[in-house]
Amino acid sequence: MSLTEAKQHPDTRERILDAAEALFVEHGFEATTMRMITGRAGVNLAAINYHFGSKEALIQDVFRRRLTWLNEERLRALERFEKEARGAPLKPHQIVEAFFGVSLRMAADTEHGGHTFMRLLGRTYTEPSAFVRQFLADEYAAVVPRFKQALFRSLPDVPPEEILWRFHFMLGAMSYAIAGTDALQLVAEHELDEKDPEALSRRLMPFLLGGLRAPLAGQAVKTKEKSPRKAA
Amino acid sequence: MSLTEAKQHPDTRERILDAAEALFVEHGFEATTMRMITGRAGVNLAAINYHFGSKEALIQDVFRRRLTWLNEERLRALERFEKEARGAPLKPHQIVEAFFGVSLRMAADTEHGGHTFMRLLGRTYTEPSAFVRQFLADEYAAVVPRFKQALFRSLPDVPPEEILWRFHFMLGAMSYAIAGTDALQLVAEHELDEKDPEALSRRLMPFLLGGLRAPLAGQAVKTKEKSPRKAA
DNA sequence: GTATCATTCAAACGGCCGTTTGAAACGAGC
DNA sequence: GCTCGTTTCAAACGGCCGTTTGAATGATAC
């Protein structure tokens, strides 16, 4: 009874997932040891293998816990817009909003770990480990084709291949934006004002749309001409 | 003499740097072991500690070997434009060309390892390891303020803070673009055509410029609503 | 109480890590 | 030839890795 003063164990699994998530962001998968995780979580070393089976399985569960919901939410947002449109092609800003807006909203949640997770996710797109990449590919299998198709319909004048590249560029911009302050300090030696995450969305979304709808590089843009400002 | 048929050792240091560079891209710093590096380089395990002192020092030398030149080249390109301009502010596309064009040109060099290095560099912006981040900050100390100043002058109507963020977004887009095919396969399950690196430049530069010059989010760009939310 | 199941624990396992060592091999100058 | 400084080599070092074990503990139902 009174022997254990703070020993309460409010779901060992969850404590481990939280600790692992934070440590993976800080140090990466390989550099994060089981002893670091269990130490931070305040549980026994063997708890990871007992509850998850292996370190690899733990990594996958860290992603599954939030990524499944995130992708479902992305699809729900897209479908909401498509319902509104009644069969008409969506506007680019709607598609961008459905995919990246949902992500940024999760990144804005600093209370329940959404921010930490989105940083991890951004870091992981470039993660080379084979099994992680395979895992991500599976998790995205349901959502990516839907957004590709929506973009193709939305921008019929842009070659599909070009659209895929720009989608990729947008992913990169967002990931850096969220992984954020770390790399940013390279650019701005002093803290860039607030952590206000809604502000990030206000900054990032125009950039993404500007890039997505930029004129194609059909011919050299370099000439002295005055870059024909095309109105949307 | 004829005893050694293929034993020729064309600079052990260089062989180690090449092997390490490639392996760091594939597996990350932590997951790449000295034995993997020396094995691939065909040199003795102790050679790394003999020639570089430690694994950490090797990592730094891998970067120094190319990054110093890259940043000097970036500065040279910027200064060339500034000389042309005779004191007038540069055009955004010139600044972007000076910074990112040089990078993309190095990424286009698949013969001498420039491509491998740029992939590593992109991966490393999000690298959390403290000493790597500190090292990068030092290496960029000479070049970043120059480009910041050029951008501020080039876009006097855009708040400096906004410019820094957009520079950051551009960095992210480029890094993903170069780190490239790996994360891209998430989006395009089949190979995206060529590896032609000049094509990447043709695709990326319009995107970057479109993002950089996108209208601010001050007011809604879209006709529908005015997004009355305003705090700042 | 006793039996049953899930969970926690301290301790140990083999294996690979980055690094060090001392001797062997090499090469240039004489 | 020999010397001397540089480079390579096989072998070993202590230490930490992810995982496993078997016993202790807790909770639940009878």
Side-chain angles (χ1 to χ4, degrees), chain A residues 176 180 182-184 186, chain B residues 67 70-71 74 99 103 118 120-128 132-133 136 140 171-172 174-175:
Chain A
Y176 264 46
D182 290 345
L184 191 55
L186 219 74
Chain B
L67 188 52
L70 174 66
N71 275 336
R74 280 165 168 163
F99 192 94
S103 315
M118 285 306 298
L120 174 62
L121 186 57
R123 232 183 91 66
T124 307
Y125 285 127
T126 57
E127 171 71 31
V132 174
R133 191 153 54 235
L136 281 189
Y140 274 93
L171 256 183
M174 182 192 69
S175 295

Side-chain angles (χ1 to χ4, degrees), chain B residues 26-44:
Chain B
E26 275 180 58
H27 303 100
F29 298 127
E30 306 277 351
T32 301
T33 71
M34 320 262 294
R35 285 163 180 85
M36 288 165 66
I37 298 171
T38 52
R40 178 160 179 156
V43 303
N44 186 271

